[in-house]
Amino acid sequence: TVQHRITRMQNAGVITGYTITVGPGATTTPVRAVMAIAVEGGVARDVVRDLHSRPCVIAVHSTNGKWDIIAELQAESLEDFDRELNSIRALPRISASETNLLLSTYRG
């Protein structure tokens, strides 16, 4: 059967994991954004730790160039988003930020 073959392929290391890709309309969180963040000095790890502790932050990425960190944010409403955004901006180690709402997601 197909299940037996998949199990053999997993045991042999041919299949090492699974992922799910959902359509753009499948998200239950209506407000999504990316926030580019600049930090003062060498404290990026501290800021990353602070960001990970917030439920509105779904991913944190290091980057190069003008910005040190890119955070992916989500919220149930614009009011919730505004509150979370202001809270993040108030962190003492953040020197600058730029936030863009995600309007549509296109997949090839």
Side-chain angles (χ1 to χ4, degrees):
T1 66
V2 172
Q3 182 60 49
H4 184 61
R5 180 178 167 99
I6 289 173
T7 301
R8 283 196 332 253
M9 292 173 75
Q10 288 171 326
N11 292 339
V14 174
I15 297 175
T16 59
Y18 297 93
T19 187
I20 296 173
T21 304
V22 297
T27 181
T28 60
T29 308
V31 180
R32 298 178 305 134
V34 291
M35 181 179 197
I37 300 168
V39 298
E40 297 173 350
V43 295
R45 287 186 181 182
D46 295 335
V47 173
V48 168
R49 187 176 51 252
D50 289 344
L51 291 170
H52 274 299
S53 71
R54 297 169 180 275
C56 68
V57 177
I58 58 174
V60 180
H61 311 276
S62 63
T63 187
N64 65 330
K66 178 180 178 181
W67 304 106
D68 300 304
I69 299 168
I70 302 293
E72 295 181 51
L73 310 174
Q74 65 182 10
E76 294 297 324
S77 68
L78 285 173
E79 291 81 12
D80 290 341
F81 178 74
D82 186 44
R83 185 174 36 259
E84 293 292 340
L85 190 60
N86 287 323
S87 176
I88 292 170
R89 287 178 176 159
L91 291 173
R93 296 175 294 262
I94 292 179
S95 60
S97 68
E98 180 178 306
T99 305
N100 293 287
L101 291 173
L102 299 175
L103 301 177
S104 295
T105 300
Y106 304 100
R107 291 201 166 56

